[in-house]
């Protein structure tokens, strides 16, 4: 029967797996890392809080897609909390951690990744339901969206807790990985392959939806004389979603590949030399998302700017920016979601053609 090591500190596991914990990470180097980490985490907290507040405040965002977008911002906010906890429990401090504290550190990171991933998957389903029915927004009720959001976090918390629940190497020290010295290599293979497969599925789904919207919009626009910006509004919404997905895949894939190589026990891959850079790249995803929201959606940017300026009742609200019009439809008597055909032919999409276009890209 294998001996279990629940009462050991992390230095025991780091020494057993020859894991580099950067003992020299002290002095000026530590100060610089903490300063940059603090700045990025503060930006994550503030910017994602603004996105959530904008969705709550602006009634034009009271649609299933934007509720899920706000939940994605909440996942990024949670990721900021995970990075703060990691920042003060890494480097030479790692060796002094108890097993439970180390599990908490990694569990927070795994939960934030899963929350973002599952949220993007749910958004893909919501987009498929709406676009394939030729609607900008799906008919999901608030109760169903609330249930989906609760389910997302339940799945995320469960996946983050799986190693703590038993899939670890505390009772089989020979199965420990080098990057995560109390995670089983089999779990790292499962975790990384599962996420990479979901990445691939979502990319395929979004490409299919985008091609469908592009083709349908081109067919409809050939029979209308509306402005270019009005005809392309559905396409712009998909571009926003695909930009978010693209950023997520680019930022997280390298780290998942490194975990996969570690799970496969690749001792000659030099994974210890790149792990910190890929973790920083994953952090940047939570920084980039609020920028994507505000850049791609003029209404989102305007709402956030009014909140920053503390003038929620700004009378200049009627002035339209020369930027790309909002991807949200002006709410008409049909609150369940306007049809794309109606939006193009009847001009129900926000604006009346006098809005400028920011390059239509």
């Amino acid at each position: 029967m294998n001996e279990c090591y629940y009462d050991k500190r992390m230095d025991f596991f780091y020494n057993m797996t020859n894991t580099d914990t950067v003992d020299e990470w002290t002095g000026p180097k530590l100060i610089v890392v903490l300063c940059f980490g603090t700045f990025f985490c503060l930006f994550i907290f503030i910017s994602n809080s603004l996105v959530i507040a904008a969705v709550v405040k602006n009634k034009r965002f009271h649609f299933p897609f934007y509720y899920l977008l706000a939940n994605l911002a909440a996942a990024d906010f949670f990721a900021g909390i995970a990075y703060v906890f990691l920042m003060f429990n890494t480097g030479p401090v790692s060796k002094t951690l108890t097993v439970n504290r180390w599990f908490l550190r990694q569990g927070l990171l795994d939960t934030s990744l899963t929350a973002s991933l599952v949220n993007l998957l749910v958004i893909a389903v919501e987009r498929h339901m709406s676009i394939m029915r030729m609607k900008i927004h799906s008919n999901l009720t608030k109760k169903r969206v609330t249930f989906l959001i609760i389910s997302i976090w339940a799945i995320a918390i469960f996946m983050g807790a799986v190693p703590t629940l038993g899939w670890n190497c505390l009772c089989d020290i020979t199965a420990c990985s080098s990057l995560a010295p109390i995670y089983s290599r089999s779990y790292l293979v499962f975790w990384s392959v599962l996420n990479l497969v979901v990445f691939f599925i979502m990319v395929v789904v979004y490409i299919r939806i985008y091609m469908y919207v592009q083709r349908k919009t081109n067919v409809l626009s050939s029979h209308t004389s509306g402005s270019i910006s009005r005809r392309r509004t559905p396409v712009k919404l998909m571009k926003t979603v695909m930009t978010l997905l693209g950023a997520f895949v680019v930022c997280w894939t390298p780290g998942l590949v490194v975990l996969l190589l570690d799970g496969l026990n690749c001792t000659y891959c030099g994974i210890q030399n790149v792990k910190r850079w890929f973790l920083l790249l994953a952090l940047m995803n939570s920084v980039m998302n609020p920028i994507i929201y505000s850049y791609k959606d003029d209404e989102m940017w305007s709402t956030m700017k009014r909140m920053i300026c503390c003038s929620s009742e700004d009378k200049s609200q009627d002035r339209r920016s020369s930027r790309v019009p909002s991807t949200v439809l002006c709410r008409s008597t049909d609150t369940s979601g306007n049809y794309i055909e109606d939006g193009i032919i009847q001009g129900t999409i926000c604006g009346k053609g006098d809005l400028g276009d920011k390059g239509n890209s």
Side-chain angles (χ1 to χ4, degrees), residues 21-22 25-27 29-45 78-97 101-102 104-106 108-109 276 279-280 283 287:
T21 56
V22 197
W25 190 26
T26 57
K29 184 177 181 180
L30 177 61
I31 294 175
V32 171
V33 170
L34 290 177
C35 288
F36 274 98
T38 301
F39 171 77
F40 283 125
C41 288
L42 284 175
F43 180 83
I44 289 172
F45 293 145
F78 184 85
I81 297 175
Y83 292 129
V84 169
F85 191 84
L86 172 66
M87 196 164 47
F88 292 100
N89 291 275
T90 191
V93 180
S94 297
K95 287 188 174 183
T96 67
L97 299 178
R101 192 171 181 86
W102 195 93
L104 176 61
R105 190 189 80 173
Q106 298 305 122
L108 291 173
L109 292 172
R276 296 175 191 86
L279 181 62
L280 178 61
L283 168 66
V287 175

Side-chain angles (χ1 to χ4, degrees), residues 258-287:
V258 166
L259 289 178
L260 177 60
L261 293 175
D262 186 29
L264 296 174
N265 201 22
C266 180
T267 57
Y268 302 101
C269 298
I271 55 180
Q272 293 288 345
N273 299 325
V274 297
K275 63 178 183 180
R276 296 175 191 86
W277 296 106
F278 290 163
L279 181 62
L280 178 61
L281 182 62
L283 168 66
M284 292 305 298
N285 179 241
S286 298
V287 175

Side-chain angles (χ1 to χ4, degrees), residues 3-124:
E3 182 181 358
C4 297
Y5 301 93
Y6 295 104
D7 58 339
K8 297 291 186 179
R9 288 191 174 269
M10 288 305 300
D11 58 343
F12 171 80
F13 299 98
Y14 281 116
N15 292 333
M16 289 292 294
T17 57
N18 297 317
T19 302
D20 176 23
T21 56
V22 197
D23 288 326
E24 73 276 7
W25 190 26
T26 57
K29 184 177 181 180
L30 177 61
I31 294 175
V32 171
V33 170
L34 290 177
C35 288
F36 274 98
T38 301
F39 171 77
F40 283 125
C41 288
L42 284 175
F43 180 83
I44 289 172
F45 293 145
I46 296 172
S47 57
N48 285 287
S49 296
L50 284 172
V51 172
I52 296 171
V55 173
V56 172
K57 179 181 178 180
N58 195 329
K59 292 183 178 180
R60 292 184 178 180
F61 295 147
H62 291 183
F63 291 99
F65 171 78
Y66 281 97
Y67 292 143
L68 294 172
L69 203 65
N71 193 50
L72 185 60
D76 288 327
F77 187 96
F78 184 85
I81 297 175
Y83 292 129
V84 169
F85 191 84
L86 172 66
M87 196 164 47
F88 292 100
N89 291 275
T90 191
V93 180
S94 297
K95 287 188 174 183
T96 67
L97 299 178
T98 63
V99 168
N100 289 334
R101 192 171 181 86
W102 195 93
F103 272 136
L104 176 61
R105 190 189 80 173
Q106 298 305 122
L108 291 173
L109 292 172
D110 294 345
T111 299
S112 65
L113 168 60
T114 305
S116 297
L117 180 62
V118 178
N119 204 92
L120 283 170
L121 185 60
V122 173
I123 290 177

